[in-house]
Structure formats: structure tokens, C-alpha cells
């Protein structure tokens, strides 16, 4: 029961992190500054946890000679994923910002498993897993397309954000999700090499923070915090802490229930968190009321992910 609660909580926390970081972007004026703040806080927190558990932040320099170069790319891919979510949130809303990357994660996850990329265990694409992927895609279509169509048929104003080039933003979400799946596989191999999941997470966050420092110095040599019209709430700074807790939650969850069930539990939390944010406009986000077709689409996606991860 504790494992299920942990999985649901960290799942709910992830869309909240995106909303928080999106709010932080309003004050700092840049998605990269918001990502840097998040990564820096997460790195410090994970450094403390790593010192407590492993008593050291260092690793053998032989890894640079004995391991492939891609083993250090997890942090960079994490930067792309986090920054993309910050950009997507005001364009697509909480639910679509969650489901589009999930679609990308599923697609890339199946590719990685089928070909054993990034030194991961090979898991062939079966009819059952293929059907699960189709269900995920149908769920996305149900949420994105049918919700708008039904609203128009009933003469209602669709709650889908009215931004130009929405499909391009959705595509960015899918690509970001694919990068996230690659990051997961890379960090999984890194944790095996280091024999420490926590230290692998710390290194990933550290690399991401370094990448963002370089980007920020190039784009914003003078860093200034802007005061938004509705003030700067204290909680806009804690996105990185939530991200670090998400990593630690997975560290606890996977050994307890297995990777497949852990993914499903966290996914349910993700969907619940995104629905709560959209329904009530939490954390100063735009309110997008829940519709029955949106619930149906999410249930179809959860069923698809369950088939992929558990069979």
C-alpha cells in the first residue's frame, strides 16, 4: 500500500512541477533560467541525499575511457524535456503537456526495448505490446481531437488552447517524450555502472545544470528577476525539489513493485495531477474543465500503457 501511495504522489507531483516551473518562467523571463533554477535546486538536494547514502559524490575516471560517450547525455536530454514542458504548458494546458510526452515515451521506449539500445535489456515487440501502443495513440486522439469536435457539435467553446500551430507544439511534446525515454535508458545504464541509482540521478542533474549554465550565460549575461503582476509566490522556486523527489520516489518504488507496475502507478498519478490542475486552475494556471471524453481518453491510455509495461 505504501508503494502505491508513493507512486501516486510522485506522479501527481510531476505535472505540478511543470506548472510551477512555467510560473517561474513568468518571473525570470526565460524557460532556460527557469530550468536552471529547477536543475540547480534538484542537484543540491540529490547531492545531499547521495552523500548520506553513498558517502561520496565522486566516481572513477576510468569511466571516461571504458564507457560510451552517450552515458553522460542523460542530463542534456533532461534539460530538453524539462524546458520543452515549460514551453508547452501555457500553449497546451496541463493534460496535453502530460499526454504528448507520454506518447513519445511509449514510441521511443518500444524502439529501445526492441533493439536493446543504450545497453538495455532487449524486449521484442509483441502483438500485445503493439496493441497497447495503439490504445495509447487512440487515447491521445480521443483527448486532443474528439474533445474539440464534440464541443463544436454542441455549440460549445472548446477548452483546447487556441494557439496557432498547436500541432507543432504537440509534436514538440512527443519529441520531448522520446528524449525522456532515452534519458531513462541512459541513466539506467549509468546507475548499473556506478552501482548507485541515487548517484546516477545526481550526475544527470549536475550535467543538466552545467548545460543550462552555459546556455544562460550566452543568452542572459545579466540575470534579473522580474516581478510579475500578481507577485512572486514562494512555491515557484520548489520545482527542482519536486523533480528530485520524483527521482527518489522511483528509486524506492521500482524494487518494491517492479518497473512495469511502477510506470503504471506513476502514470495514474500523472493523469490525476494534470486533471486536477486543469480542472481547478491550480498554481495560477489557466483553467480547462474536465470533460467526459477526456476521462475516457485517459483511461484508454492507461490501459495501453498497462499492456506495454506488464506484458
Amino acid at each position: 500500500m505504501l508503494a502505491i501511495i508513493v507512486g501516486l504522489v510522485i506522479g501527481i507531483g510531476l505535472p505540478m512541477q511543470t506548472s510551477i516551473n512555467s510560473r517561474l518562467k513568468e518571473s525570470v523571463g526565460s524557460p532556460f533560467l527557469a530550468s536552471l533554477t529547477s536543475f540547480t535546486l534538484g542537484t543540491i538536494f540529490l547531492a545531499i541525499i547521495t552523500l548520506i547514502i553513498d558517502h561520496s559524490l565522486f566516481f572513477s575516471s576510468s569511466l571516461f575511457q571504458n564507457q560510451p560517450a552517450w552515458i553522460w547525455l542523460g542530463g542534456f536530454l533532461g534539460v530538453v524535456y524539462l524546458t520543452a514542458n515549460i514551453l508547452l504548458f501555457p500553449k497546451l494546458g496541463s493534460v496535453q503537456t502530460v499526454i504528448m510526452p507520454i506518447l513519445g515515451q511509449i514510441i521511443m521506449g518500444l524502439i529501445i526495448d526492441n533493439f536493446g539500445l543504450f545497453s538495455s535489456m532487449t524486449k521484442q515487440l509483441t502483438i500485445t505490446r503493439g496493441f497497447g501502443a495503439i490504445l495509447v495513440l487512440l487515447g491521445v486522439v480521443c483527448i486532443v481531437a474528439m474533445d474539440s469536435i464534440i464541443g463544436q457539435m454542441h455549440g460549445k467553446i472548446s477548452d483546447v488552447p487556441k494557439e496557432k500551430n498547436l500541432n507543432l507544439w504537440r509534436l514538440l511534446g512527443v519529441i520531448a517524450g522520446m528524449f525522456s525515454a532515452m534519458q531513462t535508458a541512459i541513466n539506467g545504464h549509468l546507475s548499473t555502472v556506478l552501482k548507485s541509482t541515487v548517484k546516477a540521478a545526481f550526475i544527470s542533474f549536475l550535467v543538466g545544470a552545467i548545460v543550462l549554465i552555459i546556455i544562460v550565460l550566452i543568452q542572459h549575461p545579466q540575470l534579473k528577476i522580474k516581478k510579475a503582476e500578481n507577485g512572486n509566490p514562494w512555491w515557484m522556486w520548489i520545482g527542482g525539489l519536486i523533480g528530485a523527489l520524483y527521482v527518489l520516489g522511483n528509486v524506492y518504488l521500482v524494487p518494491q513493485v517492479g518497473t512495469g507496475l511502477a510506470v503504471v502507478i506513476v502514470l495514474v498519478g500523472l493523469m490525476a495531477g494534470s486533471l486536477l490542475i486543469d480542472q481547478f486552475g491550480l498554481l495560477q494556471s489557466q483553467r480547462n474543465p474536465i470533460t467526459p471524453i477526456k476521462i475516457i481518453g485517459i483511461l484508454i491510455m492507461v490501459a495501453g500503457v498497462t499492456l506495454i509495461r506488464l506484458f
Side-chain angles (χ1 to χ4, degrees), residues 93-254:
S94 181
V95 171
Q96 289 195 40
T97 299
V98 168
I99 66 171
M100 301 316 295
I102 287 176
L103 177 58
Q105 289 169 1
I106 294 301
I107 293 172
M108 181 54 69
L110 290 173
I111 294 173
I112 291 172
D113 285 351
N114 191 66
F115 296 102
L117 302 180
F118 306 113
S119 299
S120 61
M121 183 181 299
T122 302
K123 193 172 184 180
Q124 295 295 324
L125 179 62
T126 62
I127 294 177
T128 301
R129 302 184 82 217
F131 180 67
I134 293 174
L135 285 180
V136 172
L137 181 58
L138 287 176
V140 171
V141 172
C142 188
I143 295 170
V144 173
M146 295 304 297
D147 195 21
S148 177
I149 293 172
I150 290 177
Q152 292 176 5
M153 289 175 60
H154 289 79
K156 298 179 180 179
I157 299 175
S158 173
D159 66 351
V160 177
K162 295 175 177 57
E163 294 284 343
K164 294 181 179 179
N165 302 319
L166 267 186
N167 287 331
L168 290 178
W169 288 107
R170 289 165 180 150
L171 178 61
L172 175 61
V174 174
I175 294 173
M178 295 176 76
F179 279 14
S180 175
M182 293 167 63
Q183 180 195 21
T184 300
I186 289 171
N187 286 349
H189 181 63
L190 181 61
S191 66
T192 300
V193 171
L194 295 174
K195 298 180 180 179
S196 171
T197 305
V198 177
K199 185 175 289 186
F202 161 70
I203 292 175
S204 181
F205 265 68
L206 178 62
V207 171
I210 293 172
V211 170
L212 284 164
I213 287 173
I214 296 172
I215 294 175
V216 167
L217 288 177
I218 293 174
Q219 291 197 341
H220 303 272
Q222 293 182 346
L223 310 181
K224 294 182 179 180
I225 304 297
K226 301 176 182 178
K227 188 174 182 179
E229 294 181 0
N230 51 358
N232 294 327
W234 63 269
W235 47 258
M236 74 180 190
W237 303 102
I238 66 171
L241 180 60
I242 295 176
L245 289 173
Y246 175 80
V247 172
L248 292 177
N250 274 300
V251 171
Y252 166 79
L253 193 61
V254 171

Side-chain angles (χ1 to χ4, degrees), residues 44-70:
I44 294 172
F45 181 78
L46 285 171
I48 295 172
I49 298 300
T50 302
L51 286 173
I52 293 174
I53 296 177
D54 291 348
H55 311 294
S56 173
L57 300 177
F58 302 103
F59 54 87
S60 174
S61 60
S62 63
L63 292 180
F64 291 104
Q65 288 80 34
N66 300 332
Q67 294 296 324
W70 52 256

Side-chain angles (χ1 to χ4, degrees), residues 21-91:
N21 287 340
S22 181
R23 176 60 186 80
L24 179 61
K25 172 184 170 291
E26 293 182 22
S27 294
V28 300
S30 165
F32 295 110
L33 279 173
S35 293
L36 175 59
T37 303
S38 183
F39 263 86
T40 300
L41 181 59
T43 300
I44 294 172
F45 181 78
L46 285 171
I48 295 172
I49 298 300
T50 302
L51 286 173
I52 293 174
I53 296 177
D54 291 348
H55 311 294
S56 173
L57 300 177
F58 302 103
F59 54 87
S60 174
S61 60
S62 63
L63 292 180
F64 291 104
Q65 288 80 34
N66 300 332
Q67 294 296 324
W70 52 256
I71 199 173
W72 310 107
L73 290 178
F76 169 75
L77 297 174
V79 167
V80 175
Y81 176 70
L82 182 64
T83 306
N85 278 344
I86 293 174
L87 293 171
L88 290 172
F89 185 81
K91 306 291 184 182

Side-chain angles (χ1 to χ4, degrees), residues 1-9 252-253 256-257 265:
M1 178 59 71
L2 179 60
I4 294 176
I5 293 174
V6 169
L8 291 175
V9 169
Y252 166 79
L253 193 61
Q256 297 294 322
V257 300
I265 294 172

Side-chain angles (χ1 to χ4, degrees), residues 259-279:
T259 303
L261 185 55
V263 169
V264 174
I265 294 172
V266 172
L267 174 62
V268 173
L270 276 168
M271 296 302 187
S274 63
L275 287 173
L276 287 172
I277 291 172
D278 266 9
Q279 174 67 23

